[in-house]
Amino acid sequence: MASSTRVVVVAVAFTVVATFYSLSELHRMSAMHAQAETAKFATHTSTEGRSLVAGTTQAAAKTNVGTVGAQTGGVAANTAATTQATSTVAATNTAATNTVQHQSVKITDHKCYTYEHTELWGDVVVWGTLNKVKTAGDCCQSCLNYKPTTPEDPDCNVWVFCGDEQKCGSQYQQCWLKHLVHPEASKPARQGPTTAWTSGTIDVDINADPSADAAAQAASSQVKNGPPRVFHTVTSAQGAAVHWQVRIHYYWWKKRKAECEKQGGCEMGGFTRLLHSGNSDDLMDELPTVVVDPLPQSMVEHSWYVVLNRPYAFVQWTQKVKIPEQYVLMSEPDHIFLRPMPNFMKGNNPAAFPFFYIEPSKAENIHITKKFTGPITQKQLEEIAPVGNSPTFMTFDDMKRVMPTWMNVSIAVFKDQEANSVWGWVQEMYGFTIAAWLNGIKHVDLFLHMMAQPPWDQEMTMANGKPFYILHYTYGMDYKLTGEFTPGKFGEWRFDKRTYGSRPPPRHLGDPPKNMHNDLVRALINSINEATAALPCWDSYAESGKADYTCDEMKSLTDPRFKQDGKAII
């Protein structure tokens, strides 16, 4: 087994983040995933997916070692030296004890999930023009049988097959074998009734919806022992830009929690605003708040990059608080909860939304990533998840281990001229996922439907029917009055949170154009308008930027969440 160690020594100190990302581009496909008849070789495993229990176990032991350490100013950062042997093969599916036979091929151990009318992305390892088979089942088996030339070459975890002779034409019976890092984190290249291809993934169901399973499990366990997977929501904040956002954020968190508790089996627990300015503010009586210090500029000059405060804030929070919940959801002020939030975790693996622009194993990023991991293999690089710290679920115990490393790696990235330049405003996101890997977290469950990002996402559900749970309004939204989307160009109607960087938005934001066909943009404006109408004294707040609890509205307030003395909100 190969092992490697790299010590990243960095200056440390504490503070936390206020955050929004100024990214210039994002494009996400949204296509209808057609319902298809069950293929003979497959059995249903979910609404959209089918599974084929397949393959023979081909275990390859891997050793992953990473060390990060720092000790400055009396603060010792975690040294995470993790050696973990893992198999490249998923455990045998115990639910499928009976093997499935297809054309005399014995199929065991692996699951092959299939998606009709779908073409998946991936780097080609075997060209379909050179690999023709009769059925989708045969194509899956071809993927399972594929053996890379060297251990460092990519294996096959995605296959694409064209089985309709009339629609496929010259591509009929072509079976393309591909490798895709984190298939569940990438939307299909094409999807819908006009797509002739059938695709499949090995051991990963890209349409998995653990949220539905979690809700069902919580509801059933409610009768016995109460919901077992209650999580605490912690939202980091600092500065005027997020001052008004976090008030709206908390309004919707409370509303969704009330709905959640009414439904029964609710997994939403407590809430904390993690204020990393070092000082109390005018929202202390309105939001449950823990105040922590920012990262001292004497440790590293980062005045232009306030986000570097965030990791240190979480270090302080995990060290100073005790919460009753075992699990934590890290959230942000510009998140609006669209529905009651379940715990997305399966077991104790973290669960997170994948960001397409976090690519530690991409060719141009590899040498930068290795500056902070040490020399590791391509397979190990691909274990580093395409996530940031939010929205991410993880156990509180894992947080306590990972947060110091996150702080240290983020500072090291910030100080590295190349990493700072290339990774820019998402550098501490890279710091987070690298830190998790260094602390032995080799798998993160990824769910695209955890969060929607308008205007690129348009519907309240994904193409596969899975509902979005969080609306993240980080991008500008520009439209002509006729409803036409004008990306990259200021629209005649627009909403951008950065417009309100120094003062909160007024009540009654204007509705999007009537012919604007983006349900999420409309839901965002409606959500902001509802919250600002309900939160008392918002008119004076919008003018001054200071929370006001003394206006005439307080005298006739009927909302039970607000105390009549105006000093606190329940």
Side-chain angles (χ1 to χ4, degrees):
M1 296 184 180
S3 64
S4 60
T5 303
R6 179 178 178 87
V7 177
V8 180
V9 179
V10 293
V12 259
F14 287 165
T15 216
V16 62
V17 56
T19 172
F20 56 85
Y21 299 121
S22 300
L23 301 174
S24 60
E25 60 184 53
L26 169 63
H27 180 69
R28 306 171 109 219
M29 299 180 178
S30 76
M32 181 179 68
H33 187 110
Q35 296 292 335
E37 295 180 0
T38 307
K40 292 181 180 180
F41 65 88
T43 57
H44 279 283
T45 56
S46 65
T47 305
E48 323 298 340
R50 288 124 174 99
S51 71
L52 172 65
V53 181
T56 56
T57 302
Q58 303 170 8
K62 297 181 291 184
T63 304
N64 305 320
V65 182
T67 304
V68 170
Q71 186 168 0
T72 304
V75 180
N78 278 1
T79 297
T82 305
T83 304
Q84 179 179 354
T86 58
S87 171
T88 59
V89 186
T92 303
N93 178 22
T94 55
T97 309
N98 298 324
T99 58
V100 178
Q101 299 288 337
H102 178 66
Q103 294 193 344
S104 301
V105 177
K106 187 176 182 180
I107 301 173
T108 58
D109 293 343
H110 284 283
K111 268 191 176 181
C112 193
Y113 293 92
T114 71
Y115 318 93
E116 295 184 356
H117 304 295
T118 301
E119 181 182 359
L120 295 180
W121 297 104
D123 295 328
V124 176
V125 297
V126 174
W127 286 62
T129 52
L130 306 176
N131 186 39
K132 290 195 173 185
V133 298
K134 293 182 178 179
T135 69
D138 292 336
C139 191
C140 170
Q141 190 63 54
S142 180
C143 184
L144 290 165
N145 292 341
Y146 175 77
K147 297 186 184 303
T149 304
T150 71
E152 281 301 291
D153 289 332
D155 57 9
C156 177
N157 65 346
V158 169
W159 51 268
V160 180
F161 172 74
C162 208
D164 188 314
E165 185 172 5
Q166 182 177 359
K167 293 181 179 179
C168 296
S170 62
Q171 295 174 316
Y172 177 56
Q173 293 188 334
Q174 288 185 8
C175 172
W176 293 75
L177 306 185
K178 301 183 179 184
H179 180 81
L180 180 61
V181 182
H182 306 294
E184 70 277 33
S186 177
K187 289 186 176 180
R190 288 188 293 174
Q191 223 174 3
T194 60
T195 302
W197 297 94
T198 293
S199 293
T201 52
I202 306 300
D203 296 330
V204 173
D205 183 3
I206 65 173
N207 285 334
D209 187 8
S211 56
D213 296 338
Q217 292 171 6
S220 63
S221 63
Q222 173 79 1
V223 178
K224 300 177 182 177
N225 306 311
R229 302 180 64 77
V230 175
F231 62 89
H232 192 97
T233 301
V234 56
T235 300
S236 60
Q238 177 184 345
V242 299
H243 192 275
W244 62 269
Q245 294 174 24
V246 77
R247 297 186 76 187
I248 293 172
H249 171 76
Y250 186 52
Y251 170 88
W252 283 103
W253 179 88
K254 286 192 297 183
K255 182 169 183 176
R256 298 310 184 198
K257 184 179 180 182
E259 294 172 2
C260 182
E261 291 176 334
K262 187 175 181 180
Q263 293 172 1
C266 183
E267 295 178 317
M268 297 177 72
F271 179 95
T272 294
R273 176 183 62 144
L274 183 55
L275 181 60
H276 42 85
S277 62
N279 299 301
S280 300
D281 66 2
D282 52 340
L283 297 180
M284 299 300 294
D285 290 329
E286 181 175 334
L287 289 83
T289 300
V290 172
V291 179
V292 293
D293 293 326
L295 187 66
Q297 296 289 329
S298 60
M299 303 304 297
V300 55
E301 174 58 45
H302 66 287
S303 55
W304 68 269
Y305 190 60
V306 68
V307 186
L308 200 58
N309 288 331
R310 173 188 286 156
Y312 183 52
F314 277 96
V315 171
Q316 295 172 86
W317 185 69
T318 55
Q319 290 179 351
K320 74 187 296 184
V321 306
K322 291 184 179 180
I323 57 174
E325 300 90 351
Q326 181 181 349
Y327 307 95
V328 176
L329 167 64
M330 289 179 278
S331 191
E332 293 183 20
D334 59 355
H335 289 177
I336 288 176
F337 295 96
L338 295 172
R339 47 184 45 83
M341 195 79 182
N343 187 337
F344 273 72
M345 292 176 64
K346 298 186 291 186
N348 285 333
N349 284 334
F353 172 83
F355 292 90
F356 77 95
Y357 46 80
I358 303 298
E359 301 176 293
S361 63
K362 192 174 181 179
E364 53 263 44
N365 285 328
I366 289 175
H367 73 284
I368 304 177
T369 303
K370 288 183 178 181
K371 290 183 179 184
F372 312 104
T373 63
I376 60 176
T377 68
Q378 181 64 27
K379 292 187 187 305
Q380 291 172 319
L381 282 163
E382 292 183 5
E383 292 173 342
I384 304 175
V387 302
N389 83 293
S390 174
T392 294
F393 288 88
M394 62 194 311
T395 67
F396 188 69
D397 286 343
D398 276 348
M399 285 189 72
K400 286 190 289 187
R401 289 189 303 111
V402 171
M403 297 302 100
T405 311
W406 178 26
M407 177 184 66
N408 292 327
V409 174
S410 294
I411 294 173
V413 170
F414 183 82
K415 287 184 172 183
D416 184 280
Q417 186 174 359
E418 182 184 24
N420 188 313
S421 175
V422 173
W423 290 346
W425 276 89
V426 298
Q427 59 185 268
E428 53 78 44
M429 296 174 68
Y430 274 96
F432 175 83
T433 192
I434 290 171
W437 187 87
L438 288 172
N439 277 276
I441 296 175
K442 309 305 182 187
H443 178 78
V444 177
D445 290 313
L446 306 173
F447 302 104
L448 283 164
H449 72 293
M450 187 184 292
M451 187 169 75
Q453 299 192 106
W456 309 107
D457 290 313
Q458 301 179 47
E459 310 293 336
M460 299 295 286
T461 62
M462 288 184 60
N464 59 15
K466 301 298 184 291
F468 287 118
Y469 283 84
I470 292 172
L471 188 159
H472 181 209
Y473 54 100
T474 192
Y475 300 104
M477 304 166 203
D478 294 275
Y479 294 87
K480 292 183 179 179
L481 295 181
T482 56
E484 180 184 346
F485 181 37
T486 60
K489 179 181 178 181
F490 272 40
E492 297 168 315
W493 181 96
R494 79 183 314 259
F495 175 82
D496 189 332
K497 67 182 184 181
R498 293 161 190 81
T499 304
Y500 308 104
S502 59
R503 287 288 185 273
R507 282 172 168 164
H508 314 302
L509 288 174
D511 290 334
K514 184 177 181 181
N515 293 324
M516 186 275 299
H517 302 297
N518 189 310
D519 294 343
L520 284 163
V521 172
R522 204 171 298 280
L524 169 62
I525 300 304
N526 291 340
S527 297
I528 293 175
N529 284 342
E530 178 180 329
T532 58
L535 292 169
C537 309
W538 191 276
D539 290 331
S540 58
Y541 173 58
E543 292 180 3
S544 68
K546 287 288 187 180
D548 180 9
Y549 305 106
T550 61
C551 66
D552 289 342
E553 289 178 45
M554 295 301 302
K555 299 176 182 177
S556 58
L557 197 63
T558 58
D559 192 324
R561 291 170 297 180
F562 295 85
K563 291 183 177 179
Q564 295 302 310
D565 61 10
K567 293 182 180 179
I569 299 179
I570 299 174

